[in-house]
Amino acid sequence: MVVSSERSNHTRVHGGAGSEGAGQRHPRAPLHGRKQDVSSKIDPHSATIEKFVENVRKLYNDGTGDFKAKFDAAIKGVQPRPQGTEDKVWKDWQGASIDTLCNFFEEWYAWGLKQGVHDGLDYIEKFSWINYENDAGMDFVTTGAGRDVLADFTNLQGLQMDDPESGKSLVDSWIKELGPKKMADFRKGDWSTFNKFFIRELAPGARPIDGRLDPGVVVAPTDCVINMIVDELTDATRIPVKTVTMNVDQLLNGSRYAKHFTHDREGKPGGGTAVSCILMPDTYHRYHAPVGGQVVEAHDNIGGVYYGMRDFPGLVNKGNVGYGYDYGMFADFRRGYVVIRTPYVDHEGKPDGDGYVALVPVGLNSIGSVQFLEKFRNITKNSAPVEIEKGEEIGCFQYGGSLNILLFEKGRFPALQLLMGQRIGVLEEPKRAKRLFENFRRPEPRRVPPTS
């Protein structure tokens, strides 16, 4: 999987519809948006894979921190291979040593410059068997030195994809694999590195904005699969049968606007709608405003973990690209959010007051950050609201196998609604459909993922 580096955490990505300018590099932000654990004693930014592996071995062998104890406990808790798991994505961690871990990281790093369009999740899934249905494994990857090691490796992968060697190794093969039909949607640009190629801009007219002047029309924020609609949100909504949770206050990092989506206008619990928009690895990776209005609050660098899905295969292989997964845990991953004050209209098209829509980009495994354009970075109650047009670019992931979550107020977005002749999907190639959408290697979890 191709990633953005921590060094790129505040890279300004300029371009796209209606914008100009060159990207600017800014200093690296602290890991996870907070101070590093003192006990880890690791350089937070290894410059080479050799230095990274040296650091990992030191952490394990010096015995002064929590790395050895947590790694050994994680390995003791590794579960057997679930029935139906493909060889390609299986890694047996039972009885693994520190040599096993270091060799795996070296192999994963070397594979980075060889991966194909549909291979991005393979090594992540191989690694995820350490914490699959494993409490000690979850502790290892989400806390202490284990978390910091994974942050360092994520940064190292990002540096690899910022290197011109990544452009030479991957860009031409990805263009060929994607094919002329898909590539026709994109404007040729500076693709000297793979990260630059991955956030390629759309060609003019490739994504016309529907209902541009109609405030009642909501548009997709990016190329995505809509795989969840949750209505009547509360602070910890549980959906019958599918056991989905959604803690809006956590997703919005305690924003003063969270109650607009979990309560009605009278302040009673039971609020709005959440829509999950999953980005696919081989599509467009910038995200845009679903409605127009004013951005009244925004935050682009909420710290969190990089790994730690108790059942990662369940996200990517649960029949419909994560439908029904425990979305409450996304509040623990790196993310940003934008709250837009937008005008409402009634059935006659007359003004019906103002309300709020939120967009929450979430960076999952191997994604070091979300990246907003300068215009939309860190807008607070002390800032003036920033005007935004429907369809205007907000930011990007430098690896887009992630998701955007849209939040709406009570009664304002009850369902997906289409007009005759509008696109509802595509007829897929069976190979791609099997790889991304079908339940072809889905193991059933033995325990329900934690909801908090």
Side-chain angles (χ1 to χ4, degrees), residues 48-357:
T48 66
I49 185 64
E50 292 79 14
K51 181 62 176 177
F52 170 80
V53 169
E54 177 186 333
N55 283 337
V56 173
R57 291 188 184 279
K58 180 180 179 181
L59 282 173
Y60 187 84
N61 292 324
D62 69 10
T64 59
D66 62 10
F67 187 80
K68 183 180 189 302
K70 290 191 174 186
F71 175 71
D72 290 347
I75 296 306
K76 287 181 181 179
V78 168
Q79 298 297 313
R81 177 174 180 161
Q83 185 177 2
T85 302
E86 282 191 334
D87 290 341
K88 183 179 181 181
V89 296
W90 170 246
K91 170 70 176 177
D92 187 0
W93 290 98
Q94 294 184 92
S97 66
I98 190 62
D99 289 335
T100 309
L101 181 66
C102 289
N103 291 341
F104 180 79
F105 278 129
E106 289 175 327
E107 181 183 311
W108 189 353
Y109 183 80
W111 167 87
L113 296 181
K114 305 172 185 176
Q115 62 184 292
V117 170
H118 302 301
D119 300 333
L121 300 177
D122 291 352
Y123 268 77
I124 291 175
E125 192 159 350
K126 286 180 179 179
F127 181 78
S128 75
W129 299 113
I130 287 181
N131 57 277
Y132 171 72
E133 296 295 305
N134 177 2
D135 292 336
M138 289 289 293
D139 187 48
F140 171 64
V141 301
T142 61
T143 65
R147 180 198 63 207
D148 290 339
V149 162
L150 290 170
D152 188 24
F153 187 67
T154 296
N155 181 71
L156 186 62
Q157 289 175 301
L159 295 178
Q160 183 184 45
M161 295 306 157
D162 280 339
D163 192 295
E165 187 61 34
S166 68
K168 298 174 185 177
S169 301
L170 292 174
V171 172
D172 285 346
S173 63
W174 271 59
I175 290 173
K176 182 178 180 180
E177 194 169 348
L178 289 170
K181 182 178 178 181
K182 287 187 176 179
M183 289 305 302
D185 285 347
F186 299 97
R187 176 163 42 195
K188 178 66 176 178
D190 175 8
W191 297 343
S192 57
T193 71
F194 189 80
N195 268 336
K196 290 180 178 179
F197 169 76
F198 207 80
I199 57 169
R200 56 197 178 273
E201 298 179 51
L202 289 169
R207 300 289 186 275
I209 304 303
D210 197 11
R212 185 182 289 275
L213 300 180
D214 183 349
V217 173
V218 178
V219 300
T222 187
D223 290 5
C224 59
V225 175
I226 303 294
N227 72 348
M228 180 188 71
I229 299 181
V230 182
D231 207 4
E232 295 293 322
L233 287 172
T234 67
D235 285 336
T237 296
R238 180 169 288 278
I239 306 304
V241 183
K242 295 297 183 181
T243 65
V244 175
T245 62
M246 177 71 67
N247 190 317
V248 174
D249 185 66
Q250 287 179 315
L251 280 174
L252 296 181
N253 203 40
S255 166
R256 67 190 188 278
Y257 291 100
K259 294 296 183 184
H260 286 274
F261 308 110
T262 59
H263 292 66
D264 63 20
R265 288 297 179 99
E266 284 72 45
K268 297 178 182 178
T273 306
V275 178
S276 160
C277 309
I278 297 280
L279 286 82
M280 294 291 99
D282 59 351
T283 55
Y284 180 58
H285 298 101
R286 302 185 185 218
Y287 40 87
H288 299 245
V291 295
Q294 295 179 319
V295 176
V296 294
E297 189 170 285
H299 193 344
D300 74 332
N301 187 28
I302 301 172
V305 300
Y306 291 74
Y307 290 77
M309 293 185 183
R310 187 184 189 90
D311 176 21
F312 177 74
L315 176 70
V316 295
N317 304 310
K318 201 170 184 179
N320 192 17
V321 197
Y323 183 86
Y325 199 78
D326 178 19
Y327 282 78
M329 50 76 68
F330 292 143
D332 295 326
F333 279 78
R334 297 186 69 84
R335 65 202 181 279
Y337 69 86
V338 172
V339 178
I340 302 171
R341 182 167 59 221
T342 190
Y344 292 142
V345 294
D346 63 17
H347 66 285
E348 295 180 340
K350 297 178 180 179
D352 191 28
D354 290 340
Y356 298 94
V357 173

Side-chain angles (χ1 to χ4, degrees), residues 424-449:
I424 61 173
V426 298
L427 299 176
E428 284 287 358
E429 296 177 74
K431 181 179 179 181
R432 181 177 186 272
K434 182 177 182 180
R435 188 71 185 90
L436 295 176
F437 301 100
E438 293 182 7
N439 181 14
F440 71 100
R441 63 171 184 260
R442 165 66 178 150
E444 288 299 324
R446 285 174 287 282
R447 297 190 295 274
V448 175

